[in-house]
Structures are given as structure tokens and as C-alpha cells.
Amino acid sequence: MINGPDFSLELAAQASGARRIAGVDEVGRGPLAGPVTAAAVVLDIARIPEGLNDSKRLSAKRRAELHDAIFAMAEVSIAHASVEEIDMINILRASHLAMERAIAGLSSAPDLALIDGNMIPRGLTVPAQAVVKGDGKSLSIAAASIVAKITRDRMMWDLAQQFPGYGWETNAGYPSKSHREALQNIGLTPHHRRSFKPVHNILYQEKSISD
């Protein structure tokens, strides 16, 4: 595959004795609202969906098609870290916690976890390799990126029906102009991350007014 992920990292790991390899990615570090979501995907080398790529490089329609193909052809585990956990332990640690949970949710432990990014979650109990920009290098990580994004986007769409006005059905909780304006005009929801500066500032303003 030209200018996209391939299976070379997985094949190298298999040549070193790793039979079961999971690609792991997360989505949702930047939003002001909603959980952070991670996926772990174990691909079958004989049944890899065609066209896997970094989820950010795919159209919404193609992501949805590949999401369904991944579930049909691979083993998938999805996990989250909640808004409360994000506020308690910080977004980096929470994203790693979601990754740890996704890996733990697989039917059996992988021989190697390929982790998107430059850090290996400290709570992992399986061998792991950090892969910078891994969703553009590893097909397994690319598959995980697609599953995580589709899953979280659908969660935020559902939440948008319960909390209209913030545009979560389109911005997925990210700090778009309309979302930031809604924070000022409507206020906070239970799904907003209090530790994030734009949300924290509104809380501080509200506290100052009440005082």
C-alpha cells in the first residue's frame, strides 16, 4: 500500500515469535466533553479489510464501511475512560487507561500490542511497542483508529440528542466555535470535562458570580 499503513510491523513481530498481535489506538483526547475511547484489534492476515488507513484520511462513509468490515473479519475490543476519570487522573493517563482496558477485553492476551503514539501505558501487562503515527504505518493500528473513532462519534451523537445545542452530533465534543459559544450561553452538562481550561474557566466565572 503506497503512502499508507502496511503489515510489515506485524510480520516482523511474527518472525520474532509473536503469533497474536493487537493494534491499539484511542480517540478523544482533545474534546471538551465525553469520554476517551480506545480500541484493540487483532487482524487475521488472511482476511484484512481492503483500504484500511488512518481514520483521519478516510471519508465518513468509508470509515463506516471499514468499521463494519473490521468487525466481520477481526477480533475487536472497545473500552472507555469516563469524564470523571479524565478529570481525576488527567487526559493522558485516562487515554492509557482506556487502552489498557481495551487490550484486557480481548478474548486472550496478545503476544504483542502495537500502541499508537510514543508512550506505552504503564499499566500494561503484555509486551508492547509504541509506534509514533502508528495509524499511518500499521494496518492493525489503523483498524483500531477506525473502530475507536466510529464508536466515539456515535456515542457523542447519542449524547447530542439528550443535550442539544452543543453540536456534538457534528463536533463530537471538540472545541468548535459553536460548542464554545454554547458553553457560554447554555452552560455545562455532566459530560463536560471540568479539568479542561475552557470548561474550568466557566466554572470559575460561575463561582465568582455566586460568591
Side-chain angles (χ1 to χ4, degrees):
M1 187 178 294
I2 300 173
N3 294 326
D6 58 32
F7 213 62
S8 59
L9 288 173
E10 291 87 342
L11 290 174
Q14 288 178 350
S16 299
R19 298 182 61 186
R20 183 174 167 80
I21 301 158
V24 186
D25 200 2
E26 55 75 28
V27 65
R29 287 196 190 190
L32 303 179
V36 59
T37 299
V41 176
V42 179
L43 291 176
D44 177 352
I45 191 171
R47 300 177 70 225
I48 298 176
E50 186 175 350
L52 288 179
N53 206 332
D54 175 357
S55 63
K56 297 183 290 295
R57 294 188 176 187
L58 300 168
S59 67
K61 179 183 178 182
R62 187 62 181 136
R63 274 197 303 268
E65 292 170 348
L66 285 167
H67 170 273
D68 294 345
I70 293 163
F71 270 87
M73 300 181 190
E75 183 184 348
V76 178
S77 173
I78 301 166
H80 314 276
S82 68
V83 168
E84 292 78 14
E85 288 171 323
I86 292 168
D87 287 340
M88 184 181 301
I89 62 177
N90 77 48
I91 184 59
L92 176 61
R93 179 70 188 113
S95 66
H96 285 180
L97 181 60
M99 287 181 171
E100 293 163 14
R101 288 170 173 167
I103 293 168
L106 292 168
S107 62
S108 61
D111 299 314
L112 177 68
L114 296 174
I115 308 290
D116 183 59
N118 61 0
M119 295 177 65
I120 295 172
R122 65 189 184 199
L124 277 189
T125 58
V126 301
Q129 176 183 344
V131 185
V132 176
K133 297 184 179 178
D135 43 11
K137 297 176 182 177
S138 159
L139 286 172
S140 299
I141 297 177
S145 78
I146 292 166
V147 169
K149 178 167 177 54
I150 289 286
T151 300
R152 190 179 183 281
D153 282 355
R154 289 175 178 175
M155 289 180 66
M156 295 307 296
W157 189 92
D158 288 342
L159 286 176
Q161 312 315 302
Q162 302 172 45
F163 297 90
Y166 298 91
W168 293 345
E169 64 275 16
T170 55
N171 63 42
Y174 282 85
S176 65
K177 181 180 179 182
S178 60
H179 188 181
R180 286 184 277 112
E181 288 176 347
L183 275 172
Q184 294 288 344
N185 297 330
I186 305 174
L188 306 182
T189 73
H191 300 284
H192 278 104
R193 301 173 180 180
R194 268 64 177 168
S195 58
F196 278 45
K197 188 173 181 180
V199 180
H200 177 80
N201 287 347
I202 290 174
L203 276 175
Y204 182 79
Q205 290 170 7
E206 291 177 350
K207 183 177 185 301
S208 297
I209 292 172
S210 64
D211 290 345

